[in-house]
């Protein structure tokens, strides 16, 4: 019995392999739990009340009101600039009432009154030019052509988004890689145990032959 116990003791390399496997299992579970609570659950909630629709531009206009944005010009250099408010009003296939178009959910939360937030430049004139360029794009290039837009009843039912912040690919990777880490950890532990078991059996058979 003593010899049997000694034979089943893991070597240093096998012990390290087992520790690595359990570490990967723990990391995979913690990642799934953390992402589920902090990121995946809110993302699914955002998508839960939403859907897609066909949108057509009704009007493109700039409001007289300007909004502040923060620019960065170095490690310790930050400042505030302003940009004009561009509104793109669209008609959706789900409702005849006009809706305000936004780039995505993040832009909607940042400035729900406007349809576009330009990259914040130090010069207000540059910000105005970027907004004017976007205005021409919606008027001249898109015009009356229909395009796909997205809505979400949990955020603002009278607003639509040009794209989703959390699409299916992002959600897939959010779930896939922690799961792969967990499965690799399980595989390492199982293979180490199986290899040790086979080695012990081979040693036992070898001893029987010598008897």
């Amino acid at each position: 019995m003593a010899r049997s116990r000694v034979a089943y003791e893991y070597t240093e390399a096998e012990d390290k392999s087992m520790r690595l496997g359990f570490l990967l299992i723990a990391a995979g579970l913690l990642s799934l739990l953390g992402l589920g609570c902090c990121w995946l659950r809110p993302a699914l909630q955002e998508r839960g009340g939403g859907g897609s629709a066909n949108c057509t531009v009704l009007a493109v206009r700039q409001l007289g009101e300007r909004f502040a944005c923060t620019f960065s010009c170095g490690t310790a250099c930050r400042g505030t600039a302003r940009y004009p408010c561009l509104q793109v009003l669209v008609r959706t296939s789900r409702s005849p009432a006009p809706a305000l178009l936004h780039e995505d959910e993040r832009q909607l939360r940042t400035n729900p009154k406007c349809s576009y937030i330009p990259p914040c430049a130090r010069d207000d004139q540059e910000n105005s030019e970027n907004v004017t360029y976007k205005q021409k794009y919606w008027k001249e290039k898109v015009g009356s052509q229909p395009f796909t837009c997205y809505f979400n009843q949990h955020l603002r039912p009278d607003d639509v988004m040009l794209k989703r912040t959390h699409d299916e690919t992002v959600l897939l990777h959010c779930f896939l890689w922690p799961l792969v880490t967990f499965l690799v950890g399980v595989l390492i532990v199982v293979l180490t145990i199986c290899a040790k078991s086979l080695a012990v059996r081979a040693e036992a058979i070898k001893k029987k032959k010598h008897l």
Side-chain angles (χ1 to χ4, degrees), residues 150-163:
Y150 303 92
F151 60 91
N152 193 314
Q153 299 294 340
H154 293 321
L155 293 175
R156 288 166 65 101
D158 297 328
D159 295 83
V160 295
M161 276 72 67
L162 183 62
K163 58 185 178 181

Side-chain angles (χ1 to χ4, degrees), residues 60-76:
V60 183
R61 63 192 183 190
Q62 284 193 32
L63 302 182
E65 188 176 0
R66 286 178 172 261
F67 292 87
C69 63
T70 303
F71 65 86
S72 176
C73 50
T75 306

Side-chain angles (χ1 to χ4, degrees), residues 1 9 34 67 81-82 92 106-108 110 142 146 149 166 180:
M1 293 294 292
E9 288 181 356
F67 292 87
R82 293 189 172 274
T92 68
R106 292 175 183 172
Q107 186 267 310
L108 172 58
T110 303
V142 178
C149 60
H166 307 292
V180 169

Side-chain angles (χ1 to χ4, degrees), residues 47-66:
R47 294 171 56 83
S52 61
N54 289 326
C55 285
T56 306
V57 176
L58 292 177
V60 183
R61 63 192 183 190
Q62 284 193 32
L63 302 182
E65 188 176 0
R66 286 178 172 261

Side-chain angles (χ1 to χ4, degrees), residues 131-147:
V131 172
T132 301
Y133 174 81
K134 183 64 69 171
Q135 181 179 7
K136 290 181 179 179
Y137 168 80
W138 283 107
K139 277 188 174 181
E140 299 174 4
K141 292 189 177 181
V142 178
S144 59
Q145 297 178 8
F147 58 93

